[in-house]
Amino acid sequence: MLQSDQVALAGKTAVLFTKDGGQHNNLHDMQCMWYELASDESYFRHGDFGRALEKFIAVEKHYADITEDQFDFHSYCLRKMAPRAYVGKLKFKDWLHSHAYFHKVAAGAIRS
Protein backbone atom coordinates (compact mmCIF):
# COMPACT_ATOMS: atom_id res chain seq x y z
CA MET A 1 0.00 0.00 0.00
CA LEU A 2 2.85 2.36 0.76
CA GLN A 3 4.52 1.61 -2.55
CA SER A 4 1.29 2.58 -4.30
CA ASP A 5 1.17 5.79 -2.21
CA GLN A 6 -1.90 4.85 -0.15
CA VAL A 7 -0.46 6.16 3.13
CA ALA A 8 -3.76 6.54 5.02
CA LEU A 9 -4.91 3.01 4.16
CA ALA A 10 -1.48 1.58 4.97
CA GLY A 11 -1.52 3.33 8.34
CA LYS A 12 -4.93 1.90 9.19
CA THR A 13 -3.76 -1.56 8.20
CA ALA A 14 -0.46 -1.36 10.08
CA VAL A 15 -2.02 -0.30 13.39
CA LEU A 16 -4.14 -3.47 13.35
CA PHE A 17 -0.94 -5.34 14.20
CA THR A 18 0.05 -3.13 17.12
CA LYS A 19 -0.68 -3.97 20.72
CA ASP A 20 -3.33 -1.31 21.30
CA GLY A 21 -4.63 -1.52 17.73
CA GLY A 22 -5.70 1.85 16.47
CA GLN A 23 -3.06 4.27 17.67
CA HIS A 24 -0.73 5.43 14.94
CA ASN A 25 1.83 6.66 17.50
CA ASN A 26 2.49 3.05 18.52
CA LEU A 27 4.38 2.54 15.26
CA HIS A 28 6.64 5.45 16.15
CA ASP A 29 7.03 4.35 19.77
CA MET A 30 7.96 0.82 18.68
CA GLN A 31 10.58 2.32 16.34
CA CYS A 32 9.05 0.60 13.34
CA MET A 33 11.54 2.13 10.92
CA TRP A 34 10.62 0.12 7.83
CA TYR A 35 7.08 1.50 7.96
CA GLU A 36 8.19 5.03 8.70
CA LEU A 37 10.73 5.03 5.86
CA ALA A 38 8.18 3.68 3.38
CA SER A 39 5.63 6.31 4.40
CA ASP A 40 8.31 9.01 4.19
CA GLU A 41 9.13 7.98 0.64
CA SER A 42 5.44 8.02 -0.23
CA TYR A 43 5.02 11.55 1.12
CA PHE A 44 8.09 12.57 -0.86
CA ARG A 45 6.67 11.10 -4.09
CA HIS A 46 3.43 13.02 -3.48
CA GLY A 47 5.40 16.26 -3.20
CA ASP A 48 4.55 16.74 0.48
CA PHE A 49 8.14 17.65 1.31
CA GLY A 50 7.40 19.20 4.70
CA ARG A 51 5.73 16.09 6.06
CA ALA A 52 8.38 13.86 4.48
CA LEU A 53 11.18 15.84 6.12
CA GLU A 54 9.36 15.76 9.46
CA LYS A 55 9.07 11.98 9.27
CA PHE A 56 12.68 11.52 8.13
CA ILE A 57 13.81 13.54 11.15
CA ALA A 58 11.62 11.38 13.41
CA VAL A 59 13.38 8.25 12.15
CA GLU A 60 16.76 9.90 12.69
CA LYS A 61 15.63 10.56 16.28
CA HIS A 62 15.35 6.77 16.74
CA TYR A 63 19.05 6.51 15.98
CA ALA A 64 19.80 9.31 18.44
CA ASP A 65 17.76 7.46 21.10
CA ILE A 66 19.64 4.23 20.44
CA THR A 67 22.95 6.05 20.79
CA GLU A 68 21.80 7.70 24.02
CA ASP A 69 20.66 4.37 25.45
CA GLN A 70 24.14 2.98 24.92
CA PHE A 71 25.52 5.33 27.58
CA ASP A 72 23.44 3.52 30.21
CA PHE A 73 24.67 0.18 28.94
CA HIS A 74 28.28 1.38 29.21
CA SER A 75 28.02 1.87 32.97
CA TYR A 76 26.04 -1.36 33.35
CA CYS A 77 28.76 -3.43 31.64
CA LEU A 78 31.48 -1.89 33.75
CA ARG A 79 29.51 -2.42 36.94
CA LYS A 80 28.60 -6.05 36.16
CA MET A 81 32.02 -6.95 34.72
CA ALA A 82 30.57 -8.10 31.39
CA PRO A 83 33.41 -7.62 28.88
CA ARG A 84 31.84 -9.76 26.13
CA ALA A 85 28.68 -7.67 26.14
CA TYR A 86 30.75 -4.50 26.25
CA VAL A 87 32.78 -5.51 23.19
CA GLY A 88 29.54 -6.38 21.41
CA LYS A 89 28.22 -2.93 22.24
CA LEU A 90 31.32 -1.29 20.82
CA LYS A 91 30.98 -3.27 17.58
CA PHE A 92 27.29 -2.30 17.39
CA LYS A 93 28.22 1.36 17.81
CA ASP A 94 30.57 1.10 14.83
CA TRP A 95 27.84 -0.54 12.76
CA LEU A 96 24.85 1.60 13.82
CA HIS A 97 25.34 4.54 11.46
CA SER A 98 26.34 2.34 8.54
CA HIS A 99 22.94 0.58 8.55
CA ALA A 100 20.94 0.83 5.33
CA TYR A 101 17.99 2.53 7.06
CA PHE A 102 20.23 5.28 8.38
CA HIS A 103 21.56 5.91 4.87
CA LYS A 104 18.01 6.04 3.50
CA VAL A 105 16.99 8.52 6.19
CA ALA A 106 19.98 10.74 5.52
CA ALA A 107 19.45 10.70 1.75
CA GLY A 108 15.71 11.35 2.14
CA ALA A 109 16.26 14.26 4.51
CA ILE A 110 18.78 15.81 2.12
CA ARG A 111 16.38 15.45 -0.82
CA SER A 112 13.45 16.97 1.12
Side-chain angles (χ1 to χ4, degrees):
M1 289 178 222
L2 290 171
Q3 290 179 352
S4 64
D5 296 333
Q6 298 175 353
V7 179
L9 183 59
K12 289 178 184 177
T13 304
V15 296
L16 294 175
F17 297 97
T18 62
K19 185 176 181 180
D20 295 333
Q23 295 181 1
H24 190 67
N25 281 341
N26 280 345
L27 293 170
H28 178 75
D29 293 339
M30 292 188 307
Q31 297 180 342
C32 187
M33 289 188 238
W34 68 267
Y35 172 79
E36 291 177 322
L37 281 172
S39 65
D40 297 346
E41 291 292 334
S42 181
Y43 286 131
F44 184 79
R45 286 191 298 269
H46 271 284
D48 192 356
F49 301 121
R51 182 172 251 172
L53 180 60
E54 176 186 337
K55 300 294 183 179
F56 280 125
I57 290 172
V59 175
E60 193 277 329
K61 173 120 173 49
H62 293 321
Y63 281 92
D65 291 341
I66 291 168
T67 302
E68 185 178 314
D69 289 343
Q70 289 180 0
F71 290 115
D72 296 333
F73 192 67
H74 173 78
S75 63
Y76 171 80
C77 285
L78 293 177
R79 193 173 62 243
K80 295 292 185 178
M81 297 293 198
R84 183 180 299 171
Y86 187 68
V87 170
K89 179 193 91 73
L90 292 176
K91 288 179 182 177
F92 176 75
K93 174 66 177 154
D94 291 339
W95 173 81
L96 180 64
H97 293 292
S98 63
H99 192 271
Y101 284 170
F102 186 79
H103 288 273
K104 288 179 184 179
V105 167
I110 290 169
R111 282 182 306 174
S112 296

